[in-house]
Every structure is written in structure tokens, then in C-alpha cells.
Amino acid sequence: MTDQLSALPDGYEISTDAARLDAGLVHQWLSTDSYWAMGRTRAKHDAAIAGSLNFGVYESVSGVQVGYARVVTDLATFAWLCDVYIDRSVRGKGFGTTLAIAVRDHLEPFGLGRILLATGDAHGVYAKVGFQPLEKPGDWMALRSS
């Protein structure tokens, strides 16, 4: 699926190669500058990376990472998009939308029945990609540990 919103600025690329991830940088971003993963330990973060499909946004020449997203999925019926983060130095340039489109397009061939995410502040970004509020939020439940 091609999307006119999906173009990264020149000199940037998206990759699912986990070997390219700067796990230390991503951990720093998430554990110190996100409302959803504040204080996450490095061990927990590394385990999350190991159990997920990971997407990185990189400067093409230097290889410096400027964005991240991960997907928890069985690649058959369901996926959960989470930990989407764009470095403050490149925010406002469409990286978040482009990364969400790349995730959507990467998952499309698997014919998943549902891709979910939770956001407290980026509804507009995800709406551009096709995400919508739950039709019946009262049907959903969660089991949380303290």
C-alpha cells in the first residue's frame, strides 16, 4: 500500500533489522522521555526488543538512529504497535506518521484481523494512517499487574 504521507525526508531510512538498533539510545528515550515507559529498566527493555518486531529510523549516511517503534504480533491474527518514539531533534517533520505507515504496510501482507495501539497524545498522527477509536471500547478488558 503506497501512501503520499509516507515519504521520509531525504537522507533517512526505515529498517526492521534488529542488529541496527541502538538499544541503549532507545532505552534512554523511552525510560526518560516518554509518559508510557518512564523508568523502564534496561533488562525489561532488552527483553521487549527481543520479543518484538522492531522498526528503526536512521540517518542514511551516518546510521544514527532518530526513531523507533516495536510491534508485538503473532503475524497471523493480531498485532500491538507500541513504543513509538521520534527523537526531539526531528519531531514535526512527519517521521512519526511515516513510521506508522511503514509498520502498517509491513504488516499488511499477513492479513491480520486487528492492529491495536494506545496513545495519550498522538491520535491525529495515527488517524492519518487509518487507525480509529475502538467501536465498542466497553468490550475490551485489561489485566494489569501493580
Side-chain angles (χ1 to χ4, degrees), residues 110-129:
F110 297 100
L112 304 177
R114 184 169 284 125
I115 302 171
L116 293 179
L117 64 85
T119 184
D121 61 356
H123 295 82
V125 169
Y126 297 110
K128 291 179 197 174
V129 179

Side-chain angles (χ1 to χ4, degrees), residues 18-101:
R20 292 185 68 183
L21 292 175
D22 184 338
L25 176 63
V26 175
H27 174 254
Q28 179 185 342
W29 286 337
L30 297 177
S31 67
T32 65
D33 193 38
S34 73
Y35 63 84
W36 66 90
M38 193 68 64
R40 181 184 291 168
T41 67
R42 179 63 190 264
K44 184 72 75 174
H45 170 71
D46 289 347
I49 285 176
S52 300
L53 172 61
N54 299 278
F55 292 77
V57 183
Y58 305 91
E59 291 180 1
S60 300
V61 175
S62 69
V64 171
Q65 189 169 352
V66 298
Y68 176 74
R70 71 183 181 92
V71 177
V72 181
T73 182
D74 60 10
L75 295 177
T77 63
F78 177 81
W80 178 266
L81 172 59
C82 53
D83 287 347
V84 178
Y85 187 93
I86 301 298
D87 187 88
R88 289 183 176 275
S89 68
V90 295
R91 286 189 188 165
K93 299 178 181 177
F95 284 85
T97 301
T98 302
L99 183 54
I101 290 167

